[in-house]
Amino acid sequence: MLKVIEISELKSGMFVTRVVKQEGKFYVTSGGRIKKQDDINKLVAKGIIQVEIDLKKSMFDKNKNLSLGSDESNQDYGKQLEHSLKIYEQAKDIHSRLMTRVAMGKVADLQSVNEVSQHLLERVFEHEDAISIVTLLSENDQYFIEHSVNCAILIILFARHLGFEPELMRQLGAGAMLMDIGMMKLPLLLTEKPEHFSQTDTQKMQKHVKIALDLVDKIDAISEVSKEVIELHHERLDGSGYPAKLTEQHISVYGRMAAIVDVYDSLTTKRPHRSAHKPADALRLMAEEIPGLDQQLFKEFVLCIGANPVGSLVKLDSEKLAMVLRRNKRDPLNPVVMVFYDLQTKISAEPYPLDLAKSDDVIAASINPDDFGMNLQQFLLKTFI
């Protein structure tokens, strides 16, 4: 689609096809994308008054109403993201030390876990999108540590969505942090096995729940809510879970929530025996192929994180690649995305935000970052920090 605009309307990312009106003599011999403000300044200096642009080849928000459109907003998001990454790394470091103490049989208190849960809770209230996005930035060499922290973040987000009180949210987060501490008592060759488990391997792995409960039972400070999260996160409503094969009437809402966040984070993380699922694909699997989850509660989880969660890589109908930056709570299917690549022209451009709720463009597909050799953390650091 071609459109004639005034030179004052020209912006970075627009694809100019020809000069329409000018004071001097300047010709566009071939189409080209405006990459920076300096390009526009040169056109103004040459006396260009009007140009024709190709909207389909342009990489900018045609609707102008950007949620992150200003440099100030980008800087604010960058600060929030940087703060969230620091808290995430601190949480992993604290939890790593706890795991080491567990392996040595030296767990005396849960003060560090409670403090981490409190910090994550505060971050959720301060900027939930920035803390959400870090759950997809896996390094793959610290699975159980990252999985524990990710599940704590996800269950706190979920609890906030459901309207729980902050103290209950903190207890749920602490329970999620401790769900897999029993793994530290299992052989490394088993927990990091690169192929699918045998029946014997599975039976050994399932012991981690009882081991975790035995460890925390010695500590008075742990809440009953946190214990429920540990005890019930692998139970399923149809009785197919473990360790007790409990059925629906014996599984609390906390256990059901823990099961959902545990499965989701596991699916979206690369493991020795399989690659990571795209977030949207993980949600589809949970809805259609994984039995025993509370589907009504699961629908609330999807509303909480979005059909394409923050941090997801997506392809737009305009054949552009983008990353989901922010949810639109009133329009969950149309989040705010950061557009950064045109699949038709094979050209990378200065990333720009696009609010799909205010745009004609839509998400056409979910994309795996590995297919494009993309490192999400490096992209975020380069764009915002």
Side-chain angles (χ1 to χ4, degrees):
M1 178 181 175
L2 302 178
K3 181 179 180 181
V4 175
I5 63 170
E6 300 294 324
I7 193 68
S8 60
E9 298 177 89
L10 192 61
K11 298 183 183 300
S12 298
M14 291 183 175
F15 192 98
V16 176
T17 55
R18 67 186 178 94
V19 173
V20 176
K21 186 177 179 180
Q22 60 185 323
E23 293 177 341
K25 293 182 179 180
F26 180 73
Y27 301 97
V28 176
T29 56
S30 61
R33 181 174 286 105
I34 300 298
K35 295 183 178 179
K36 52 187 182 297
Q37 182 62 39
D38 189 51
D39 296 336
I40 300 172
N41 295 340
K42 288 178 181 178
L43 292 177
V44 172
K46 292 178 183 289
I48 307 301
I49 299 172
Q50 290 180 335
V51 294
E52 180 186 73
I53 62 170
D54 187 329
L55 289 173
K56 193 169 183 63
K57 292 182 179 179
S58 294
M59 297 183 70
F60 74 105
D61 186 355
K62 289 89 178 171
N63 296 277
K64 295 185 181 180
N65 294 319
L66 300 179
S67 294
L68 297 170
S70 67
D71 289 340
E72 184 177 351
S73 295
N74 277 331
Q75 290 171 5
D76 179 64
Y77 192 92
K79 289 178 182 178
Q80 297 291 351
L81 179 62
E82 185 175 21
H83 187 37
S84 293
L85 285 168
K86 286 180 179 178
I87 289 177
Y88 187 66
E89 291 302 320
Q90 289 170 1
K92 289 199 302 181
D93 182 59
I94 292 169
H95 201 53
S96 177
R97 294 200 296 270
L98 173 67
M99 291 290 208
T100 300
R101 294 202 303 274
V102 168
M104 299 172 63
K106 295 182 178 179
V107 180
D109 64 73
L110 297 177
Q111 181 179 349
S112 62
V113 174
N114 289 327
E115 289 175 354
V116 168
S117 185
Q118 181 63 35
H119 289 321
L120 296 178
L121 173 64
E122 292 168 357
R123 191 89 279 258
V124 164
F125 276 94
E126 289 169 359
H127 203 297
E128 62 181 57
D129 289 312
I131 194 65
S132 297
I133 207 168
V134 301
T135 64
L136 293 178
L137 305 181
S138 171
E139 295 178 0
N140 297 322
D141 59 347
Q142 295 181 303
Y143 172 73
F144 290 116
I145 293 169
E146 289 182 342
H147 178 61
S148 299
V149 177
N150 289 348
C151 284
I153 292 171
L154 289 167
I155 205 166
I156 290 172
L157 285 166
F158 196 7
R160 187 188 188 196
H161 170 78
L162 294 174
F164 289 8
E165 292 295 323
E167 176 56 22
L168 179 53
M169 294 165 64
R170 185 197 62 75
Q171 292 175 22
L172 288 167
M177 290 277 289
L178 297 167
M179 288 194 306
D180 286 331
I181 61 169
M183 292 290 189
M184 295 300 100
K185 291 292 188 178
L186 297 176
L188 187 62
L189 290 177
L190 175 64
T191 57
E192 296 296 326
K193 193 171 183 178
E195 65 266 2
H196 287 289
F197 291 149
S198 66
Q199 185 175 356
T200 301
D201 292 335
T202 299
Q203 290 172 348
K204 290 179 180 177
M205 283 288 286
Q206 291 179 355
K207 292 180 180 178
H208 81 272
V209 177
K210 186 178 185 307
I211 294 172
L213 288 171
D214 289 343
L215 286 166
V216 299
D217 272 343
K218 302 172 184 176
I219 303 169
D220 295 332
I222 188 168
S223 72
E224 289 302 315
V225 170
S226 297
K227 284 184 181 179
E228 281 187 41
V229 169
I230 299 168
E231 181 181 6
L232 302 174
H233 73 283
H234 283 300
E235 298 290 356
R236 299 293 181 262
L237 303 191
D238 59 1
S240 63
Y242 67 88
K245 296 190 180 298
L246 299 177
T247 52
E248 182 174 356
Q249 62 269 33
H250 300 295
I251 304 174
S252 70
V253 66
Y254 311 137
R256 299 177 191 207
M257 292 170 66
I260 289 170
V261 301
D262 179 59
V263 171
Y264 172 75
D265 188 71
S266 178
L267 288 174
T268 54
T269 304
K270 184 178 180 181
R271 299 294 291 123
H273 59 279
R274 61 159 174 80
S275 58
H277 290 278
K278 293 173 286 187
D281 286 351
L283 293 174
R284 181 188 58 77
L285 284 170
M286 293 172 71
E288 299 175 3
E289 299 183 27
I290 297 178
L293 299 175
D294 185 323
Q295 286 300 316
Q296 194 59 44
L297 205 54
F298 172 70
K299 290 176 183 177
E300 290 296 329
F301 180 68
V302 176
L303 288 175
C304 170
I305 66 170
N308 288 281
V310 173
S312 301
L313 189 64
V314 296
K315 184 179 80 170
L316 303 180
D317 199 44
S318 60
E319 292 295 310
K320 295 179 177 66
L321 292 185
M323 189 175 71
V324 178
L325 277 187
R326 179 170 293 164
R327 289 159 292 177
N328 278 322
K329 292 185 179 180
R330 294 182 179 179
D331 193 354
L333 296 179
N334 292 298
V336 176
V337 299
M338 180 66 80
V339 183
F340 62 89
Y341 188 76
D342 191 318
L343 290 169
Q344 290 182 322
T345 62
K346 311 296 184 186
I347 295 175
S348 299
E350 187 73 22
Y352 67 90
L354 174 63
D355 188 342
L356 295 178
K358 301 174 182 177
S359 170
D360 293 332
D361 217 342
V362 296
I363 293 174
S366 178
I367 300 297
N368 191 329
D370 292 341
D371 293 342
F372 294 88
M374 181 180 176
N375 183 298
L376 289 180
Q377 184 161 348
Q378 289 179 6
F379 172 76
L380 288 166
L381 293 175
K382 180 179 178 181
T383 304
F384 290 109
I385 300 175

